[in-house]
Amino acid sequence: MCGIFGYIGKNNAKEKLIEGLENLEYRGYDSSGVAIVQNGQIHIVKKAGKVCVLKDELLQSDLDGHCGIAHTRWATHGLPTELNAHPHTDSKNQLCLVHNGIIENYISLKKEFNLTTKTQSDTEVIAELIAKIKEKDNLEKIKKACSFLKGSYALAVIFENEPDAIYLAKKESPLMTTYGEDGIYISSDANAFKKYANNFYILKNNEFAKIKNNDIEFYNKNSKINKKLNNFEKTFSFENKNEFLMQDEIMQTPDALKETALFFENFKNLKNYFDNIDNIYLIGCGTAYHSCLLGKKYLEFLNIPIFSEIASEFRYSNVKPSKKSLCIFVSQSGETADTIACIKKCNCKTLAITNVPNSSITFNCKKTILMKAGWERAVASTKAYCCQLLVFYLIKCLLKNEKPKWKQLVSSCKKYLKKNNIKDISKKVLNFEKIMFIGRQEDYVTAMESSLKLKEISYINCIACPSGELKHGTLALVDENTLVVLISTKSSLHNKNLLSKQEIEARKGCCFVASNIINSEIELPNLNSDLMPIMSILPFQLLACEVCISKGYNPDKPRNLSKSVTVE
Ligand code: M6R
């Protein structure tokens, strides 16, 4: 959540910062701002709204400098106003800083240090606190101030008395820096400066950096340290062909699946990791949690207890995995705070399934299976979800010594994405006030994910319900304004599903069926039952996207949300 970008080098910082913010906008887009040093003076420009608002303002300004920091915000404390946008300064303008994360003790710090602030943001307290520290050296000021902070932070700071330097500090929130071809770059996501560098440094918790004179010096709490460079993982790049990233990302699913399946060859040695375990916990949030629900189905053949857990709940539950548990953490971004908090509670085998190499989740888990879905930037997760399910399917095949049939899956997805009737269906969907997705077993999970996708980007109040549960309460909602989408891909349960259809229609509700079994409103290709859930979500990802666009919204940047939920 929130994006930090920084540049210090021979080129124009304003252009670099705009480009960086555009790349990071998926992390938050309530407001944004930059601080640029011109002739030794720090100039701050901030705007409420999307990055394009700030960009317009900056392009008209004659700000010209070679050092600057920038931030795109997802509001946690205070409204998304210009005042609350970063960079924040102390009251005497001795320094300015941008911050990702949450300072949990900012209220008590204000009292303890008698700090006065003008904004509602927790970040301003950090600026005031650093300014208040008596140490002469700027790095020591930051170190000392950080020792009082509770919570998470990635910080980039510029001091008025040293305007040719940028200081960094990190705890829990990601922060990276690199020597680029024309200067030094800083970002909360290395992808944002990938174009300019071959490798990069990742700050670890309680590490600091001083960037000055074309040099990066790293420190821990006590001394200067040496750090090793990380390479960018080779990943195939996708072209952007459509107006919105989400459209592109759905269309990239077949390639993402293929790359993930090929790359899985590197993880076959993980087979032994499943030996001598008593139970498995599958943990994630949102869409990744839905992957965990299906992951449980893929692994049920092991005949040991398997629990799928919502990370934000599991972190506070009294249940603690035992020493013989295997905990699998699923996260596209690898940075989800709730999921990472759960890893810390596990004293057992831990395995990450993620799309982002060198992410916090990979550092915290003992083993990692990396997917190759390519950069997913639209807030609604699509191709990454399909790849997460594929990984579970590939694990199943690996453990059962079966040859995976992913090639069939790839070609069916490709065909379906080329030819489908979802545009027409989306027009009909717009006529209903209430929408429900129903299904049984794997199809119920697809219903949950479909409902999440639709509400997330089109703001339609929709729910998911297991077909058999309708008559235990939810059926009361069904009337002539209700559309129920019944997902039915399991022939053994199809007749039962048709009973639900009749129950809905008897209450004047409209029922669309999505099935590979009978002629239906949404016709699905026939695939092996293990592959079906990976494919059967595609129509509903497309549907959510179509409905959203026809309502005039931007699917890539739904209101109130952010791609990477790095705060609790
Ligand atoms: O990066 P993660 O997979 O850990 O993210 C978890 C959820 O925040 C994420 O899946 C969210 O639910 C998506 N926006 C859904 O489309």
Side-chain angles (χ1 to χ4, degrees):
M1 280 180 158
C2 301
I4 287 180
F5 198 82
Y7 172 77
I8 177 161
K10 54 184 183 206
N11 278 327
N12 183 306
K14 179 166 80 179
E15 281 157 25
K16 297 284 181 188
L17 298 183
I18 294 173
E19 185 188 48
L21 286 181
E22 284 176 335
N23 276 331
L24 291 172
E25 202 175 7
Y26 72 96
R27 298 178 77 94
Y29 34 82
D30 290 340
S31 53
S32 54
V34 298
I36 294 176
V37 178
Q38 184 170 10
N39 301 327
Q41 300 276 313
I42 303 173
H43 297 264
I44 294 181
V45 183
K46 312 202 277 194
K47 284 279 156 203
K50 299 209 163 76
V51 167
C52 57
V53 183
L54 176 76
K55 180 178 178 178
D56 287 349
E57 174 87 9
L58 286 175
L59 292 180
Q60 280 170 33
S61 84
D62 47 15
L63 253 185
D64 184 15
H66 299 273
C67 167
I69 51 178
H71 188 266
T72 176
R73 178 169 185 245
W74 184 87
T76 57
H77 295 72
L79 294 171
T81 57
E82 192 167 312
L83 182 69
N84 287 331
H86 302 210
H88 284 282
T89 57
D90 66 296
S91 50
K92 293 186 184 147
N93 290 325
Q94 296 171 45
L95 63 106
C96 74
L97 57 82
V98 291
H99 164 225
N100 284 358
I102 288 187
I103 302 307
E104 288 164 8
N105 60 338
Y106 79 105
I107 295 179
S108 58
L109 285 173
K110 268 173 92 165
K111 280 194 202 129
E112 191 183 335
F113 289 89
N114 197 17
L115 308 174
T116 42
T117 51
K118 49 196 179 299
T119 75
Q120 299 156 305
S121 158
D122 55 332
T123 299
E124 194 188 353
V125 168
I126 315 175
E128 283 296 337
L129 186 61
I130 298 175
K132 198 127 195 173
I133 304 285
K134 294 275 178 286
E135 257 77 359
K136 284 222 168 70
D137 180 74
N138 287 332
L139 179 66
E140 293 309 314
K141 274 183 193 288
I142 294 180
K143 281 189 184 179
K144 183 94 187 256
C146 286
S147 70
F148 295 111
L149 302 180
K150 293 211 170 89
S152 54
Y153 52 81
L155 294 172
V157 192
I158 302 182
F159 289 87
E160 196 215 7
N161 66 1
E162 198 182 6
D164 53 347
I166 302 177
Y167 287 88
L168 309 180
K170 126 105 193 182
K171 188 176 160 218
E172 305 302 345
S173 295
L175 194 58
M176 288 128 211
T177 181
T178 188
Y179 291 100
E181 57 198 31
D182 57 352
I184 293 172
Y185 291 79
I186 298 152
S187 181
S188 41
D189 178 347
N191 281 308
F193 54 55
K194 191 172 179 185
K195 194 168 139 186
Y196 302 105
N198 299 321
N199 41 34
F200 59 100
Y201 297 99
I202 302 172
L203 274 84
K204 293 205 178 125
N205 282 346
N206 304 311
E207 287 184 350
F208 304 85
K210 175 179 179 178
I211 301 173
K212 192 172 177 174
N213 300 330
N214 205 22
D215 191 25
I216 313 174
E217 290 173 354
F218 294 99
Y219 299 84
N220 62 20
K221 281 181 192 162
N222 308 315
S223 55
K224 200 169 168 187
I225 52 170
N226 289 321
K227 284 184 71 70
K228 69 173 187 5
L229 278 162
N230 298 271
N231 288 322
F232 285 101
E233 276 284 330
K234 276 202 190 90
T235 176
F236 63 123
S237 51
F238 294 106
E239 269 178 73
N240 289 53
K241 295 184 179 152
N242 296 285
E243 187 182 354
F244 296 108
L245 290 169
M246 184 174 175
Q247 293 171 308
D248 283 330
E249 288 169 5
I250 296 172
M251 298 311 283
Q252 289 157 7
T253 304
D255 288 332
L257 289 169
K258 182 177 156 199
E259 295 295 323
T260 297
L262 293 172
F263 199 63
F264 186 79
E265 292 296 310
N266 296 306
F267 305 110
K268 285 196 156 163
N269 56 354
L270 283 179
K271 192 172 178 190
N272 299 343
Y273 209 51
F274 287 77
D275 290 346
N276 294 321
I277 50 171
D278 284 350
N279 50 47
I280 301 180
Y281 286 84
L282 305 171
I283 301 161
C285 296
T287 290
Y289 168 65
H290 295 156
S291 302
C292 294
L293 290 172
L294 282 169
K296 174 172 155 68
K297 305 243 176 238
Y298 284 112
L299 299 180
E300 255 163 5
F301 75 95
L302 288 170
N303 227 356
I304 54 173
I306 303 180
F307 310 98
S308 306
E309 301 283 348
I310 296 174
S312 56
E313 287 292 307
F314 190 66
R315 66 184 288 183
Y316 296 115
S317 92
N318 294 328
V319 174
K320 202 172 171 338
S322 72
K323 283 209 166 112
K324 288 191 89 183
S325 300
L326 164 63
C327 291
I328 304 184
F329 298 89
V330 183
S331 173
Q332 186 285 133
S333 64
E335 298 294 349
T336 300
D338 284 319
T339 310
I340 293 165
C342 293
I343 308 177
K344 295 185 176 155
K345 136 175 196 171
C346 300
N347 184 16
C348 58
K349 291 180 176 175
T350 52
L351 170 66
I353 298 178
T354 184
N355 196 31
V356 182
N358 297 312
S359 51
S360 304
I361 223 159
T362 65
F363 292 129
N364 283 290
C365 282
K366 293 174 185 144
K367 306 275 176 194
T368 295
I369 295 180
L370 199 58
M371 310 185 318
K372 284 279 170 180
W375 200 7
E376 193 184 68
R377 279 191 292 167
V379 167
S381 185
T382 55
K383 58 178 179 172
Y385 174 69
C386 297
C387 290
Q388 287 162 357
L389 302 188
L390 176 67
V391 167
F392 278 117
Y393 166 69
L394 294 171
I395 293 176
K396 174 177 177 176
C397 295
L398 176 69
L399 298 179
K400 290 184 86 175
N401 291 321
E402 283 175 1
K403 192 172 177 320
K405 300 191 174 115
W406 58 267
K407 286 187 183 155
Q408 263 179 30
L409 171 72
V410 170
S411 72
S412 292
C413 291
K414 218 178 244 169
K415 269 192 216 143
Y416 186 80
L417 289 171
K418 234 183 216 162
K419 197 167 180 287
N420 60 69
N421 63 342
I422 295 302
K423 247 202 171 100
D424 297 337
I425 296 282
S426 72
K427 288 185 192 128
K428 296 181 187 156
V429 165
L430 287 167
N431 298 328
F432 292 93
E433 271 170 23
K434 287 173 278 185
I435 301 185
M436 273 179 212
F437 291 89
I438 64 168
R440 285 170 193 262
Q441 297 294 314
E442 286 83 347
D443 292 337
Y444 170 52
V445 183
T446 307
M448 291 168 81
E449 174 59 9
S450 306
S451 164
L452 175 65
K453 225 64 324 159
L454 189 61
K455 74 174 77 127
E456 180 175 24
I457 56 171
S458 73
Y459 321 139
I460 293 177
N461 196 343
C462 49
I463 55 168
C465 180
S467 310
E469 275 291 294
L470 267 185
K471 52 187 169 302
H472 298 290
T474 309
L475 197 58
L477 291 176
V478 173
D479 59 16
E480 63 277 17
N481 298 316
T482 316
L483 170 67
V484 181
V485 181
L486 165 65
I487 305 167
S488 181
T489 69
K490 296 175 90 70
S491 35
S492 58
L493 295 172
H494 187 62
N495 287 339
K496 302 270 179 208
N497 281 333
L498 292 183
L499 290 179
S500 307
K501 180 172 158 63
Q502 280 163 18
E503 287 164 7
I504 293 153
E505 288 171 347
R507 273 87 190 171
K508 299 200 178 130
C510 174
C511 185
F512 285 179
V513 179
S515 183
N516 52 332
I517 300 161
I518 47 161
N519 290 344
S520 48
E521 283 79 6
I522 300 172
E523 295 210 350
L524 302 172
N526 213 357
L527 277 169
N528 146 343
S529 61
D530 273 342
L531 299 175
M532 209 60 214
I534 312 178
M535 190 280 138
S536 59
I537 189 60
L538 291 182
F540 304 110
Q541 295 173 342
L542 289 170
L543 183 72
C545 198
E546 283 295 336
V547 171
C548 164
I549 295 170
S550 32
K551 288 182 85 177
Y553 303 133
N554 177 342
D556 298 342
K557 298 186 182 112
R559 69 182 179 209
N560 307 340
L561 300 179
S562 157
K563 180 73 179 162
S564 181
V565 188
T566 54
V567 295
E568 189 175 357

